Amino acid sequence: MAWMERILFFLALQGFARGDKRTVYCNFMETCILPCRFQVGEDVVVHWRELKSGNIVLSFYHNKEQPDSPAERFRGRTSLFKKVSEGDASLKLRSVKVQDEGRYQCYTSSTTGSAKLREMDLKVEALPGKVNIQQEGNKITCSAEGVYPSAEFTWSTSPPVTLNETKEPTVQRTEQWLYNISSFVLVSDDVSDVDYSCTIRTQNYKRRATLFRPTRINSSNTETMIPCTENTTGTAPTKLTWRFNHSEIILNQTTTNIPLEKWKKHVKKSVSETGDLILQDLTPDQDGVYRCELSTAEETWVRNTFLKVIPDNPLSATTAIVIGLVVFILVLIGVIVLAWHLCTGTQQQ
Ligand SMILES: *[C@@H]1O[C@H](CO)[C@@H](O)[C@H](O)[C@H]1NC(C)=O
Ligand SMILES: *[C@@H]1O[C@H](CO)[C@@H](O)[C@H](O)[C@H]1NC(C)=O
Ligand SMILES: *[C@@H]1O[C@H](CO)[C@@H](O)[C@H](O)[C@H]1NC(C)=O
Ligand SMILES: *[C@@H]1O[C@H](CO)[C@@H](O)[C@H](O)[C@H]1NC(C)=O
Ligand SMILES: *[C@@H]1O[C@H](CO)[C@@H](O)[C@H](O)[C@H]1NC(C)=O
Ligand SMILES: *[C@@H]1O[C@H](CO)[C@@H](O)[C@H](O)[C@H]1NC(C)=O
């Protein structure tokens, strides 16, 4: 039994790393291909092993994949990517987990070709959907959830100021072995004219979130533009959310461009490139904080605007009444004069 001898040879080869070593990056929970090509021949044997546990991930012999070969942890998640008969023994691993990280070995042999052992390192990456930035009191917190491997934070400001950045980032491990990470800076009350940015960075990616200095607007109840971003140069925005007083959603552009029912009559339009919102028919009920959050694949911008609705100036209201009264009196006099003319005219006839 040639294949049995070759299994023995495979066992004998353990511990000798052969061939080129490489690193394969796999996205968390996605399907990943571990490449392994060989010179095709008769009676092919393929074994994939995870080195840290010694577990078999997949075996192929007797011209077929052996369905019971994978260890429990891999069962149902592995298959050969292409046809072994074409010299491709690449492994397809589905729903990649953080626990799958480590070195893998691909053993191939056939009666006509020589036996080969290839090794590669599997590395898992999980990117956060976005980086969150928010301010509570004088604490600005930047956070990202579901990151792997862990990331570094860097803070910056525009214009540059010295930051009180004392704490190491907080790291929490989730059930899926990912990291929830956050970092904060304390800001003093006398530096309110500053934009804060935080960047999180791992080996292969970086993402940034910026909290613009707050805007304060006093508005009479006509049209008012609430700004979101100034520069979003280059990349097209993918998500825009407007919130009122931190919780209430006015508009969520991921789903539709249409504001929520309650806000329909106040939202004149939203400008998608910069995210600005144009409001109309405001009453003091719309006093509060308007938070805009605009994001692209790499960046998030956040701005809070404090809107104060000033009812129409009482002085101008008085003026309007006075003008109205004067016009009314003039019209009244006109009517009386006309009526007198008509009257006297009739009498003369
Ligand atoms: C940083 O903030 C802490 C807590 O508010 C304060 O005690 C410390 O003096 C601050 N350091 C600087 C350099 O501002
Ligand atoms: C990490 O963040 C996710 C998403 O917000 C949350 O559901 C989970 O509870 C967090 N896990 C830990 C350990 O903090
Ligand atoms: C808005 O009005 C308040 C008083 O109601 C005033 O203190 C503030 O300076 C005004 N802000 C602007 C931007 O006009
Ligand atoms: C916007 O762009 C101008 C010029 O390109 C630059 O001076 C300014 O700092 C930018 N503002 C922000 C908030 O990035
Ligand atoms: C906006 O809509 C998207 C898509 O339905 C949803 O995933 C997201 O949670 C919504 N955002 C908010 C802030 O509700
Ligand atoms: C929104 O917040 C402002 C200031 O915090 C508050 O005065 C106002 O009553 C709030 N509006 C609503 C509708 O909750």
Side-chain angles (χ1 to χ4, degrees):
M1 278 213 176
W3 65 270
M4 185 55 112
E5 279 162 35
R6 276 185 275 118
I7 288 175
L8 292 175
F9 177 60
F10 158 66
L11 294 172
L13 273 176
Q14 297 311 311
F16 299 89
R18 299 282 161 86
D20 52 335
K21 277 193 194 130
R22 54 171 118 184
T23 302
V24 180
Y25 289 94
C26 299
N27 290 330
F28 180 70
M29 287 314 279
E30 288 181 13
T31 297
C32 195
I33 309 296
L34 302 186
C36 183
R37 293 191 63 85
F38 67 104
Q39 203 173 0
V40 76
E42 292 295 310
D43 235 348
V44 176
V45 172
V46 176
H47 291 295
W48 274 97
R49 290 208 322 154
E50 182 197 36
L51 283 188
K52 75 178 173 205
S53 62
N55 281 336
I56 293 285
V57 178
L58 183 138
S59 290
F60 176 99
Y61 48 82
H62 289 338
N63 278 321
K64 63 177 203 289
E65 240 176 89
Q66 301 296 320
D68 294 332
S69 59
E72 190 61 37
R73 261 189 50 216
F74 294 102
R75 203 156 290 168
R77 292 200 291 136
T78 59
S79 57
L80 288 166
F81 177 49
K82 283 190 174 153
K83 288 206 171 83
V84 166
S85 59
E86 287 165 10
D88 195 336
S90 302
L91 177 78
K92 192 165 152 184
L93 179 61
R94 286 180 286 274
S95 309
V96 172
K97 300 170 180 170
V98 175
Q99 291 90 322
D100 294 337
E101 266 200 345
R103 184 161 295 180
Y104 287 77
Q105 199 174 55
C106 167
Y107 165 86
T108 51
S109 82
S110 67
T111 47
T112 44
S114 59
K116 270 229 172 87
L117 208 48
R118 279 171 208 285
E119 290 190 353
M120 66 213 70
D121 288 319
L122 188 162
K123 290 225 159 94
V124 178
E125 279 191 315
L127 307 188
K130 66 170 201 232
V131 178
N132 301 303
I133 191 162
Q134 64 185 48
Q135 179 163 14
E136 275 169 55
N138 63 348
K139 183 176 173 182
I140 297 177
T141 308
C142 181
S143 62
E145 280 139 15
V147 184
Y148 192 89
S150 196
E152 267 176 27
F153 282 95
T154 45
W155 285 89
S156 62
T157 63
S158 164
V161 296
T162 314
L163 285 174
N164 189 343
E165 185 188 358
T166 49
K167 291 251 177 192
E168 283 290 300
T170 309
V171 179
Q172 283 173 313
R173 204 97 201 237
T174 71
E175 276 171 26
Q176 296 171 308
W177 291 25
L178 302 174
Y179 298 108
N180 286 359
I181 51 179
S182 68
S183 168
F184 67 84
V185 290
L186 296 172
V187 302
S188 52
D189 297 332
D190 50 320
V191 284
S192 56
D193 281 353
V194 175
D195 303 331
Y196 293 88
S197 291
C198 94
T199 305
I200 76 164
R201 196 189 305 266
T202 69
Q203 199 173 351
N204 292 319
Y205 73 94
K206 67 171 189 189
R207 283 201 177 149
R208 188 166 71 158
T210 299
L211 178 69
F212 291 117
R213 66 200 77 184
T215 314
R216 283 168 208 284
I217 295 177
N218 291 342
S219 164
S220 60
N221 59 4
T222 54
E223 243 171 70
T224 298
M225 199 267 278
I226 317 269
C228 183
T229 57
E230 286 137 24
N231 316 342
T232 59
T233 41
T235 42
T238 53
K239 270 190 212 161
L240 170 66
T241 312
W242 274 99
R243 278 191 182 78
F244 177 62
N245 277 7
H246 302 297
S247 52
E248 194 178 325
I249 289 178
I250 300 174
L251 189 121
N252 179 1
Q253 218 168 53
T254 350
T255 35
T256 60
N257 204 348
I258 301 164
L260 270 80
E261 198 56 41
K262 194 182 152 193
W263 284 91
K264 266 191 185 147
K265 69 175 170 156
H266 298 300
V267 175
K268 187 168 186 204
K269 71 178 186 204
S270 84
V271 182
S272 55
E273 300 90 62
T274 50
D276 303 341
L277 190 69
I278 296 171
L279 297 178
Q280 62 186 2
D281 298 336
L282 297 170
T283 68
D285 282 346
Q286 279 79 51
D287 270 12
V289 192
Y290 290 78
R291 178 188 162 98
C292 153
E293 188 175 311
L294 184 73
S295 45
T296 65
E298 277 117 37
E299 291 219 51
T300 302
W301 296 272
V302 174
R303 186 197 298 272
N304 290 317
T305 298
F306 296 85
L307 178 69
K308 179 142 185 58
V309 180
I310 315 277
D312 266 350
N313 195 330
L315 192 68
S316 68
T318 318
T319 316
I321 288 169
V322 169
I323 290 171
L325 214 59
V326 168
V327 169
F328 177 75
I329 289 166
L330 287 177
V331 168
L332 200 65
I333 290 170
V335 167
I336 290 168
V337 168
L338 194 67
W340 183 77
H341 268 294
L342 287 174
C343 231
T344 50
T346 318
Q347 272 176 0
Q348 275 167 1
Q349 275 173 5

